[in-house]
Amino acid sequence: MKNLQKILEKLEKDRVDADNDLIRNINRVIGDVNRLNGDFQEHKYRQSLASNYSQSAAYANIVMLGGYAAAFTIWNILQEELTSKQSVIIGLLLMTSIFFFAGFEVYKMIRGVREVARLDSLLRDKLPLKDLEQGWGIAKDYFALEEARMWKYQIFITVPTGFGAGCYMLSILVNNLVNML
């Protein structure tokens, strides 16, 4: 009888230990899933930000190029009516805007080429072939977010100077029209 009781106690202890192991494993898996979900959510967030930056930058570039075309067209139309001082002010504002706009685009191009070359060798050396596409996607998003941090400085210089030139020309044009009446 005593042996039977020892056997039953051992079975009960083994069952409790097995249950505790199961709970520990379930908690570990839940923790892993939560960590992976957190990493996945962060990755999706970064992807969304990078995509928004890329779309905003492309749209802003189109608007800026259209603005430059309009500004130079109006400047050309007004050229005969502008004093040399007015022409120099407009030219300086437009050239400052264009210089920073084109400079940032060249910076992005050079940085992009360097990053692609660096990341290509790094990813090929460190990642299995099956993970390269995902690695490139993550690297591209990271690169776009880094670029977005610089983009705001470029925008704060190019837009006010270009817009300032346009407003100055508009005021000259309106003044000339009022004087004609």
Side-chain angles (χ1 to χ4, degrees):
M1 192 72 156
K2 200 169 185 174
N3 283 341
L4 183 60
Q5 187 176 0
K6 280 186 175 183
I7 292 173
L8 290 174
E9 286 174 1
K10 171 95 169 97
L11 287 174
E12 179 66 23
K13 183 183 179 305
D14 289 347
R15 188 186 59 78
V16 168
D17 288 346
D19 288 349
N20 287 336
D21 284 343
L22 177 62
I23 294 298
R24 272 193 298 278
N25 285 330
I26 288 172
N27 284 329
R28 183 185 50 79
V29 168
I30 288 171
D32 289 348
V33 167
N34 287 338
R35 183 184 52 78
L36 290 175
N37 280 338
D39 291 348
F40 179 73
Q41 292 302 322
E42 182 178 341
H43 172 68
K44 287 306 231 181
Y45 174 72
R46 287 181 177 271
Q47 261 184 331
S48 177
L49 283 179
S51 175
N52 286 340
Y53 162 72
S54 297
Q55 291 171 0
S56 296
Y59 179 73
N61 286 351
I62 290 169
V63 169
M64 300 267 297
L65 291 174
Y68 290 138
F72 279 107
T73 300
I74 294 169
W75 192 22
N76 190 38
I77 291 169
L78 288 175
Q79 199 64 43
E80 292 177 7
E81 299 182 32
L82 295 174
T83 66
S84 60
K85 182 179 176 183
Q86 290 172 326
S87 192
V88 167
I89 289 171
I90 292 167
L92 283 173
L93 287 170
L94 285 175
M95 289 300 113
T96 300
S97 182
I98 290 172
F99 174 77
F100 280 96
F101 176 76
F104 185 70
E105 292 303 314
V106 169
Y107 162 78
K108 285 188 340 186
M109 179 182 61
I110 291 169
R111 185 169 183 251
V113 168
R114 288 180 54 211
E115 286 294 311
V116 165
R118 184 181 69 81
L119 287 172
D120 183 47
S121 65
L122 179 68
L123 293 176
R124 286 185 187 278
D125 289 347
K126 304 286 184 189
L127 292 178
L129 187 59
K130 66 181 178 59
D131 294 335
L132 276 178
E133 184 177 349
Q134 184 179 11
W136 270 106
I138 293 168
K140 181 186 75 154
D141 293 343
Y142 176 80
F143 178 74
L145 292 174
E146 288 295 311
E147 199 174 86
R149 289 183 182 97
M150 295 294 295
W151 184 60
K152 62 185 172 189
Y153 299 113
Q154 177 257 357
I155 288 294
F156 287 132
I157 295 170
T158 58
V159 170
T161 53
F163 192 71
C167 288
Y168 187 56
M169 285 188 289
L170 182 62
S171 71
I172 293 168
L173 184 63
V174 168
N175 187 39
N176 288 349
L177 288 173
V178 167
N179 288 338
M180 291 171 62
L181 299 175

